[in-house]
Amino acid sequence: MGSFNFSQAADLNNGENLLLIRDRRIAVSYMIEALRIFDHYEFRVAQLDAKTARKKLQLAKPPQGREKAWWEEDYTDARKIKDRELFA
């Protein structure tokens, strides 16, 4: 884990930090917290988008008949397949 701001200054001028954690239990704990924070902010963006679009934010209903499932891309998009398997 470490800190890095994706900018030219960070890349060329600033000292950045990197910390290697060898204890699996601690590393997993940090990863879970990182995902929790990511999910929290992703939800806040969804809330703001819904508010801006003046739409109600609600859970998607299951597909009916031959309707395409909202989760289908999680099983067909290569990057999303890797994410799903990694974080399962």
Side-chain angles (χ1 to χ4, degrees):
M1 69 180 204
S3 81
F4 183 81
N5 296 313
F6 291 96
S7 67
Q8 187 172 1
D11 200 28
L12 302 175
N13 301 325
N14 299 339
E16 298 297 326
N17 300 310
L18 179 64
L19 181 63
L20 175 64
I21 299 174
R22 295 183 186 270
D23 185 299
R24 182 177 178 85
R25 195 170 121 211
I26 293 172
V28 168
S29 297
Y30 269 95
M31 188 63 199
I32 289 169
E33 179 62 8
L35 288 173
R36 186 195 67 77
I37 292 169
F38 180 86
D39 287 345
H40 171 77
Y41 283 105
E42 185 177 37
F43 179 73
R44 287 179 62 177
V45 168
Q47 281 182 311
L48 183 59
D49 289 347
K51 184 177 181 180
T52 302
R54 297 178 186 242
K55 291 185 177 182
K56 188 175 180 181
L57 183 61
Q58 60 188 25
L59 295 174
K61 293 185 178 186
Q64 301 295 316
R66 294 180 183 240
E67 183 181 8
K68 184 179 176 182
W70 58 267
W71 64 83
E72 187 174 318
E73 65 184 23
D74 294 330
Y75 293 85
T76 56
D77 179 274
R79 183 188 57 79
K80 291 189 175 196
I81 291 170
K82 285 183 181 182
D83 285 351
R84 183 176 48 79
E85 292 174 348
L86 177 64
F87 298 120

